[in-house]
């Protein structure tokens, strides 16, 4: 945990992962939000046999999920997972295995009566295995993308195609707290 450079009133949370390029996931949190604990999960998790998912031999994640236990006004207590799953160049099975890993952490939280949010660049379209795995019924995770106005349901333009690779999913009890949901649109020049 360290103060964010050039920004007052915010703290950055980051843990080094396995990505050889130094790409990691993290949080930039307003100081009025109470962070109770930050945990990196899966840094040493192994990929399913036959899949090359990481710069680390047999590793599942280059950018392991980072989870923050938060207490926020209007939302109460919940755990948010920041994610950046394997790129589209990797086998789809990598993203499915990464999603299953995160889903299982969320299931543990829900079985303890807690709520969770899963957010980030999942590198998966709505109908692909990462999203279907996260919403397979093992948890109450629900993707918020369908709450955005239809014309806003994309986060990235690539070679003229509008894509939704970035997602936010919430468990039961958090969806009613979401008053508005829109994507930021990147590379749309």
């Amino acid at each position: 945990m360290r103060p964010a450079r050039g920004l007052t009133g915010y703290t950055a949370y980051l843990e080094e992962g396995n990505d050889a390029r130094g790409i990691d996931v993290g949080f930039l949190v307003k100081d009025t939000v109470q962070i109770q604990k930050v945990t990196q999960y899966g840094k040493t998790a192994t990929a399913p046999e036959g899949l090359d998912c990481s710069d680390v031999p047999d590793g599942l994640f280059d950018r392991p999920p980072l989870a923050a236990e938060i207490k926020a006004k209007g939302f109460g207590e919940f755990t948010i997972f920041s994610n950046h799953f394997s790129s589209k160049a990797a086998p789809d099975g990598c993203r499915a295995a990464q999603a299953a890993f995160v889903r299982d952490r969320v299931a543990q939280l829900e079985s303890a009566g807690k709520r969770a949010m899963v957010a980030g660049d999942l590198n998966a379209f709505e109908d692909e295995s990462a999203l279907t795995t996260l919403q397979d019924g093992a948890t109450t995770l629900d993707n918020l993308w369908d709450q955005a106005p239809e014309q806003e349901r994309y986060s990235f333009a690539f070679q003229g195609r509008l894509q939704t690779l970035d997602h936010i999913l919430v468990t039961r009890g958090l969806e009613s707290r979401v008053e508005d949901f829109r994507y930021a649109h990147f590379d749309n020049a």
Side-chain angles (χ1 to χ4, degrees):
M1 153 172 72
R2 58 184 178 250
R5 288 187 208 136
L7 287 174
T8 57
Y10 290 85
T11 300
Y13 298 85
L14 177 71
E15 293 287 333
E16 293 295 323
N18 299 320
D19 191 291
R21 300 163 296 174
I23 300 171
D24 297 303
V25 296
F27 296 103
L28 183 62
V29 180
K30 195 169 187 167
D31 290 340
T32 57
V33 175
Q34 263 187 304
I35 301 293
Q36 298 171 329
K37 183 179 177 183
V38 176
T39 306
Q40 183 182 64
Y41 289 99
K43 186 170 183 172
T44 61
T46 56
E49 191 171 330
L51 288 178
D52 184 16
C53 301
S54 174
D55 290 338
V56 174
D58 301 320
L60 179 58
F61 292 101
D62 274 340
R63 300 164 293 268
L66 193 63
E69 295 176 25
I70 293 178
K71 186 173 186 178
K73 185 178 178 182
F75 280 85
E77 294 183 19
F78 64 95
T79 300
I80 182 168
F81 291 84
S82 179
N83 301 278
H84 188 173
F85 288 176
S86 292
S87 76
K88 296 298 275 178
D92 191 53
C94 290
R95 289 179 295 284
Q98 292 166 346
F101 181 92
V102 172
R103 178 207 57 210
D104 293 348
R105 304 295 80 71
V106 171
Q108 290 171 344
L109 289 169
E110 281 196 298
S111 69
K114 299 179 180 181
R115 301 174 303 163
M117 182 181 294
V118 174
D121 182 355
L122 305 184
N123 276 311
F125 300 117
E126 298 80 24
D127 59 350
E128 291 184 323
S129 65
L131 273 295
T132 58
T133 299
L134 286 167
Q135 298 179 95
D136 67 2
T139 69
T140 63
L141 281 170
D142 185 35
N143 196 345
L144 294 178
W145 77 272
D146 56 353
Q147 291 187 20
E150 190 171 347
Q151 68 277 11
E152 297 287 323
R153 292 181 188 166
Y154 66 95
S155 57
F156 191 79
F158 181 71
Q159 296 179 343
R161 181 175 178 207
L162 300 179
Q163 302 178 355
T164 306
L165 300 174
D166 307 291
H167 301 273
I168 299 175
L169 297 92
V170 297
T171 58
R172 188 172 295 125
L174 288 176
E175 70 281 312
S176 64
R177 303 289 189 188
V178 178
E179 295 178 10
D180 189 26
F181 181 82
R182 297 175 190 270
Y183 277 109
H185 300 137
F186 297 99
D187 291 344
N188 294 313

